[in-house]
Amino acid sequence: MKFRFYALWLSLICIIVFLIQIAVPDFTDLFVLNQDSYTQIWRFVTAIFLHGGVAHLIYNLFALILFGTILERLIGSRNFLLTFFLAGIGANIIAVFFYPSSLGASGAIFGIIGALILIRPSLMVFAFGIPMPIFIAGIVWAAGDIIGVFFPSGVGNIAHLAGLFLGLIIG
């Protein structure tokens, strides 16, 4: 089973796309997923690589590199990419039923976390500065997103929850 560092390559793509978002006016509007863009199939994938700001990008890159490399080593590069894209596309599709549009890799990353929870539930991670098994961290993150659904803050909590659920199914 080869390890191809796809989490790093996907992170690099996110950085390049974000730099283009900053440099090219209306670039995001051409590639974001919303209910009006379902006939433009590429948006199902391109929306994953768009980000709403520097903080959004940095959080996602940190989680993608950390959890993505772990999952890729466990299940192989091909299965890792399948998990990333199935969870990312599915989470964004679900999210646009609740938000005007959806963008970012968060749904894909939560899918990676969901798969890790099923494959290695006792994997120790640091969440909120505390070491804990990933299945406990997943419960805490899901609880935070459930609360966030009722107290909207501009975060795609439903995309996170959808990605986590899809990752659990894929795992």
Side-chain angles (χ1 to χ4, degrees):
M1 182 168 20
K2 279 194 169 184
F3 181 75
R4 300 181 189 218
F5 299 95
Y6 281 135
L8 297 175
W9 288 109
L10 293 167
S11 296
L12 180 61
I13 293 168
C14 287
I15 291 168
I16 292 168
V17 169
F18 186 71
L19 293 173
I20 296 169
Q21 282 182 262
I22 293 169
V24 178
D26 300 325
F27 178 83
T28 303
D29 295 336
L30 296 172
F31 297 100
V32 71
L33 184 64
N34 56 43
Q35 288 184 358
D36 297 329
S37 64
Y38 274 175
T39 58
Q40 299 167 338
I41 302 300
W42 66 86
R43 291 182 187 235
F44 293 112
V45 174
T46 59
I48 296 170
F49 296 100
L50 299 170
H51 286 83
V54 175
H56 184 206
L57 177 67
I58 290 171
Y59 285 129
N60 277 351
L61 293 179
F62 175 76
L64 176 56
I65 291 168
L66 175 66
F67 298 118
T69 54
I70 294 169
L71 185 64
E72 186 177 353
R73 284 186 194 276
L74 291 172
I75 67 173
S77 298
R78 181 179 161 276
N79 289 332
F80 166 75
L81 284 177
L82 281 170
T83 302
F84 178 86
F85 283 108
L86 289 174
I89 291 167
N92 279 331
I93 288 171
I94 292 167
V96 296
F97 287 106
F98 299 92
Y99 308 116
S101 62
S102 185
L103 56 78
S106 303
I109 293 162
F110 271 84
I112 290 167
I113 292 168
L116 277 173
I117 288 170
L118 238 66
I119 295 167
R120 291 283 192 278
S122 61
L123 175 72
M124 294 301 286
V125 298
F126 276 90
F128 312 103
I130 303 167
M132 63 182 74
I134 195 165
F135 85 91
I136 299 291
I139 292 169
V140 173
W141 289 323
D145 278 315
I146 291 168
I147 292 167
V149 169
F150 297 103
F151 300 97
S153 65
V155 173
N157 301 105
I158 291 172
H160 296 174
L161 292 167
L164 184 65
F165 178 73
L166 291 168
L168 289 168
I169 291 171
I170 294 166

